[in-house]
Amino acid sequence: MADVGARFRMSANDRDRGQLLLVAGLTIAVILVALVLLLNTVIYTENVATRGLDTETDDALQYRATVVDSVEEIIAQENRRSNANYGTLEDNVTNGTALLHESLNQRHLERGAIADLSLDHRGGIHAWQESSSDFTPSGSSDANWTVATGIDDVKRFNMTVERSSLRSLSEAFTIDIGVSTSIQIYENGTHIIVDDGSDSCATTTDPATIDLINHTLDGGDCPALNWSESPPYDVDFVLANHTAGTYAMTVSDQTSITPSDVPNYTYVIYDADVEITYQSRDVDYQTTVHVEGAEPR
Amino acid sequence: MTDRAVSVSVDYSMTLIIATLIIGGLLMAAGGLMESQAQLAKQDELEVIGQHVADDLMGADKLVTVAEADGGPIEVAVTSRSPARAGGSSYLVAVDGTNETITLWTVDEDVEVQVLFDAQHVKADNMTVTGGTFEIRYDGSGLVVSEP
């Protein structure tokens, strides 16, 4: 060690005086070293502050968005096809979803995250009459018949009717829905009239477009078409030979409509609940998204 | 020569006193500098940790917002990881959903920092946890902060 005392050694008596400086110098040296460590901490902190933040929550959100978009697309693709067999449609959707899960999960596993999805879908059937004719069931001339039974939900129910085929109020074509809705469609010589017993609306447009979901007659609001029934309910056509035109309806539950009764049909996935789970080191996320099945056409 | 003996003693004690004063002053100054720097370092670190906690809270809030809009059952848990010590002392974190503030302070209570955040689902109760690793969890009505 340096002989600090030597510089102050003026006589033999002063030999020990350097000790004070030695101790003080060492103390200050230690303090300075501590200060350096402290400043180092500050530098590190500032460094951390400017670094990008952890975005695992964004990964979870991104996964959710991808799944929702993809499942929507899978169902839409399958719905657009002509599905004569519900089992095949269901298999296609299940396989598509499994494939989606596999490819997405692989990507997330590489980053140490588990991304899972499960699909709980509801079947449906879309029935329609394309060419104008009366509304009796195909292959039969029954004027009164049940179009759909045990409907859980309906997302499309519209028709066009031609005035020349309609009759007067006393023998009007009637749509019975559930227990309390009865909508009569008739003509008075100039107008096509829609009447639910308390409200009515009329149009001169021929053929007239009746939308029972959006409650419109030729695009205009029609209070006579405001109906609501608690499921399950039936839809009956009464005096179906007293009207002519086209109709289309999409109802949930693939068994609600008997395929042989309608001119055209295709099975659809009505809607689905997708349960999405994302688990990574720091994020644990689970949500259930409702996906509407797209209309066939 | 008889007066020189006095001179030696005076010289000796004067040197001793002056050296002590100078060294004492130096030590005090260095100590003071140390202390103020330590405080600044703690404050800096707490602030940065606070920002990270705010980010985790807002991330969890975003997840809850999206999941609530989905309408189904929700499970959200985010683990927030920060150093257990700031500038050498352990610290506490208090999350206040009403005022949307995170307060961090060292246990020796010489430094306190407040950080603001913006989130809709953080519970109003003033939740306090020990700094370090803790969990932000959705309890069915809002986000709560708890130790793992």
Side-chain angles (χ1 to χ4, degrees), chain A residues 31-287:
Chain A
I31 289 174
L32 284 177
V33 168
L35 199 62
V36 166
L37 286 176
L38 209 62
L39 288 174
N40 202 28
T41 314
V42 174
I43 289 169
Y44 172 73
T45 312
E46 307 268 306
N47 181 356
V48 169
T50 53
R51 236 184 270 164
L53 291 168
D54 196 7
T55 53
E56 279 185 24
T57 53
D58 286 349
D59 288 343
L61 279 179
Q62 211 162 10
Y63 176 67
R64 179 202 159 278
T66 312
V67 168
V68 172
D69 285 354
S70 309
V71 169
E72 249 169 22
E73 195 48 45
I74 289 172
I75 294 178
Q77 287 286 356
E78 294 303 330
N79 280 0
R80 259 178 236 131
R81 297 153 59 126
S82 176
N83 301 300
N85 186 320
Y86 181 68
T88 315
L89 165 70
E90 212 171 23
D91 285 349
N92 286 347
V93 170
T94 313
N95 292 344
T97 313
L99 214 63
L100 171 74
H101 173 234
E102 204 175 300
S103 64
L104 287 179
N105 195 31
Q106 191 58 40
R107 227 175 59 202
H108 284 96
L109 277 177
E110 281 162 13
R111 297 209 301 251
I114 298 167
D116 206 0
L117 69 101
S118 76
L119 191 72
D120 179 14
H121 62 270
R122 191 150 65 134
I125 183 166
H126 176 68
W128 74 102
Q129 173 163 295
E130 209 161 25
S131 49
S132 183
S133 71
D134 65 23
F135 285 5
T136 52
S138 25
S140 155
S141 56
D142 292 348
N144 305 338
W145 63 292
T146 302
V147 187
T149 52
I151 297 174
D152 232 4
D153 199 7
V154 52
K155 65 171 137 196
R156 178 166 170 191
F157 189 10
N158 52 3
M159 54 184 65
T160 60
V161 292
E162 291 157 9
R163 194 164 65 79
S164 58
S165 64
L166 294 170
R167 306 290 174 87
S168 63
L169 176 58
S170 56
E171 46 186 2
F173 163 60
T174 306
I175 306 163
D176 282 336
I177 306 169
V179 287
S180 56
T181 309
S182 183
I183 298 167
Q184 293 177 304
I185 301 163
Y186 59 96
E187 62 108 25
N188 65 358
T190 50
H191 290 74
I192 294 174
I193 300 162
V194 178
D195 191 334
D196 71 345
S198 51
D199 292 299
S200 73
C201 17
T203 179
T204 52
T205 316
D206 188 15
T209 308
I210 298 164
D211 190 331
L212 286 104
I213 299 302
N214 297 318
H215 321 301
T216 57
L217 174 64
D218 271 325
D221 270 344
C222 176
L225 294 169
N226 279 337
W227 59 276
S228 74
E229 293 288 331
S230 46
Y233 50 84
D234 295 354
V235 173
D236 297 300
F237 284 169
V238 179
L239 294 178
N241 53 342
H242 291 180
T243 185
T246 62
Y247 63 85
M249 68 189 301
T250 310
V251 297
S252 82
D253 208 294
Q254 67 280 11
T255 56
S256 282
I257 295 176
T258 311
S260 59
D261 282 351
V262 290
N264 306 287
Y265 75 95
T266 176
Y267 287 113
V268 294
I269 297 297
Y270 192 83
D271 56 10
D273 283 326
V274 193
E275 193 184 292
I276 296 166
T277 312
Y278 185 90
Q279 274 177 306
S280 64
R281 190 176 74 124
D282 290 343
V283 174
D284 194 345
Y285 187 46
Q286 192 177 324
T287 179

Side-chain angles (χ1 to χ4, degrees), chain A residues 8 10 13-14 17 20-21 24 27-28 31 34-35 38-39 41-42 45-46 48-49 53-54 57-58 60-61 64 281-290, chain B residues 11-12 15-16 19-20 23 26-27 30-31 33-34 37-38 41 44-45 48 52 55 59-60 62-63 66-67 70-79 81:
Chain A
F8 295 89
M10 285 171 260
N13 291 345
D14 298 335
R17 276 195 283 169
L20 186 64
L21 283 172
T27 313
I28 289 173
I31 289 174
L35 199 62
L38 209 62
L39 288 174
T41 314
V42 174
T45 312
E46 307 268 306
V48 169
L53 291 168
D54 196 7
T57 53
D58 286 349
L61 279 179
R64 179 202 159 278
R281 190 176 74 124
D282 290 343
V283 174
D284 194 345
Y285 187 46
Q286 192 177 324
T287 179
T288 305
V289 188
H290 183 78
Chain B
D11 181 38
Y12 179 79
T15 315
L16 208 62
T20 313
I23 288 159
L26 262 175
L27 279 176
L33 181 71
M34 235 334 249
Q37 287 296 324
D44 258 18
E45 203 161 343
V48 171
H52 277 238
D55 177 65
K62 209 156 51 169
L63 290 177
V66 172
D70 291 342
I74 305 173
E75 198 188 306
V76 174
V78 174
T79 309
R81 287 174 207 275

Side-chain angles (χ1 to χ4, degrees), chain B residues 8-147:
Chain B
V8 168
S9 312
V10 169
D11 181 38
Y12 179 79
S13 30
M14 285 298 276
T15 315
L16 208 62
I17 289 162
I18 290 168
T20 313
L21 277 176
I22 290 172
I23 288 159
L26 262 175
L27 279 176
M28 271 170 71
L33 181 71
M34 235 334 249
E35 208 160 294
S36 67
Q37 287 296 324
Q39 191 131 347
L40 276 177
K42 277 182 201 170
Q43 193 159 346
D44 258 18
E45 203 161 343
L46 283 184
E47 213 159 291
V48 171
I49 291 168
Q51 306 281 9
H52 277 238
V53 173
D55 177 65
D56 288 333
L57 269 176
M58 279 148 76
D61 181 68
K62 209 156 51 169
L63 290 177
V64 172
T65 308
V66 172
E68 271 187 354
D70 291 342
I74 305 173
E75 198 188 306
V76 174
V78 174
T79 309
S80 178
R81 287 174 207 275
S82 306
R85 287 170 166 272
S89 29
S90 48
Y91 60 98
L92 294 170
V93 182
V95 177
D96 180 356
T98 316
N99 300 316
E100 302 196 327
T101 43
I102 300 166
T103 313
L104 303 101
W105 70 96
T106 50
V107 279
D108 34 31
E109 292 202 10
D110 58 346
V111 184
E112 185 181 304
V113 170
Q114 283 204 333
V115 178
L116 295 175
F117 64 92
D118 185 9
Q120 277 81 50
H121 298 99
V122 180
K123 283 233 171 156
D125 336 352
N126 218 330
M127 298 166 284
T128 308
V129 286
T130 314
T133 302
F134 55 86
E135 196 176 53
I136 303 162
R137 175 173 285 282
Y138 185 76
D139 72 345
S141 56
L143 287 167
V144 290
V145 172
S146 65
E147 312 209 1

